[in-house]
Amino acid sequence: MGKSMFSGIIASSGVAIGKAFVLKEVDIHISDGVLDPSEVESEVARFEVARSQSVEQLEAIRDKAAIKLGKEEAEVFEGHILVATDEELEEEVLEAIRNLKPADAALNSVINANVAMLEELDDPYFRERVADIKDVGRRLLKNLLGIAMVSLEDVTKGTIIVADDLTPSETSQIDLDKVEGFVTNIGGRTSHSAIMARSLELPAIVGAKVATDRIINGDNIVLDAVNNKVLVNPDALTLEQYHALQVSLEEEKKALAQLKALPCETADGKRFELCANIGTLKDVEGATRHGAEGVGLYRTEFLFMDRAQMPTEAEQFQAYKGVAEAMGRQPVIIRTLDIGGDKDLPYLDLPQELNPFLGYRAIRMCFDKPEILNTQLRAILRASHFGNLKIMFPMVISVEEARRLKGILAEVKSALKAEGHPFDDSIDIGVMIETPAAVMIADLLIDELDFFSIGTNDLTQYVLAVDRGNEMIADLYDHYAPSVIRAIKRVIDCSHEAGKWTGMCGEMAGDEHAVLLLAGLGLDEFSVSASSIPRVKKVLRGQRQEALEALADKALSMATANEVKALLNAFVQ
Ligand code: PEP
Ligand code: MG
């Protein structure tokens, strides 16, 4: 393959150089003959060997995942082991072999029949099991046919993973000592694997569409997740330049690390709160290492994903308490469940919708299924006794909703009091500002609340009516649009007039140029992925607040996003 280059979406920034390891599924050919009765015994033995091999492999993967990622993530593989050791399934295969089917054909027909049967059932739990059975069935078949398992376990040092997509369980198997980065055909910045890559601080480009077509195993790859380029077999000079860039990025990282203990303030002493976005307890380590002053967004959805049923109150309590304790007196803003839109929970059996982003999601779904919110609020309140927690609700559009949420919270508090559970009775409550409706009534909403946090990922899509996940209109999705900037200004001003504060937990808060503008607009708190913390601090420490306010004033008078960007570029120069 000659020199080639393509781009995608930067999921996690950095530069990685290495050899390609392409994860591609091979075609499996199933035998179509009939056994001679004398062969039955050896076919049964062949199946049993493949079965125990599969169980051993799955146990090893589970144990590794438990050490690297914790018990929650390892549970996925527990489910796989249950399928592989299922006695009914085994008996069905043996029966088919005794009816003179070769072992692979027997296994294949049993798996297909079970999948078809479960897909028919109107039960979300069983439908969820279909994926597990398909996965395990493929593993059994490959072991049976002696097809090498393409596994992330097999990668050697200095690898760049190239895949169509990486599932959360695949991402969890990545060995950071060997893998330098990954590039996938599908996915976006807010997809599961992208968020995991950022918390692993692993350079990654997703949504590159052609990665598995353009790259073959062993190609030399430069993954430039700073300038959004994937280079395939670059020439020696280019490689040399990238090695030099890696060295300078490493030096920059070290220099930035020096800022860890310094406050996030401008040269003339205007102070900002600089926090981290997290998805799980494990992300707290990175947040603290980079000097986060708190957690500005704890996306609780991750606790609800990759499992077969809702986490119980006890499980949620443990998770929230863990984060609260790990952060000590530093604030942790826990967002209640934000499911729907592009985030599905198969066991909830949510309806298919024509406009899922305008549909049954977040608190709307929670109002409809009160036990979900009730359980979560109980767990959060109980955990509030162990740290400094705040509660944040996503996707609010009206004062009625804010009042209703407060009413539910008050009821939960009364119940906990009656049961004698200790909790922080004066816990702060805020909402995410993600909808134009919330922006327009920010002055009314803030009277009900303690704070706002602007979710620009959604706010941008709703203000502009541009789907955040649709690559055909990706060029229209722009948080520098004057409409978006004016919305942000209004929200900050409304909170300040009421003596309250506004933070931002959308991706815009980590955009180096946007940071200047946001500080000038008076934003009080920035909540960004942990690895972006040092850079945001550096940017702000190099400026005077007065200058940033003048810059923001000018930006507000600009007529187009490009003018705003040009203004910021010129300011930075
Ligand atoms: C947002 O919408 O900006 C946000 C932070 O929430 P999420 O990306 O989880 O929708
Ligand atoms: Mg959102």
Side-chain angles (χ1 to χ4, degrees), residues 297 299 335 338 343 432 434 455-458 468 505-506:
L297 169 63
R299 287 185 165 98
R335 176 173 76 182
D338 184 14
K343 299 182 222 158
M432 304 219 18
E434 300 182 282
T456 45
N457 304 345
D458 276 317
R468 76 194 240 188
C505 56

Side-chain angles (χ1 to χ4, degrees), residues 140-161:
L140 283 164
L141 269 178
K142 282 186 179 171
N143 279 325
L144 196 54
L145 296 168
I147 298 173
M149 207 68 63
V150 186
S151 158
L152 289 172
E153 299 288 308
D154 303 331
V155 301
T156 48
K157 223 173 159 50
T159 291
I160 307 270
I161 294 170

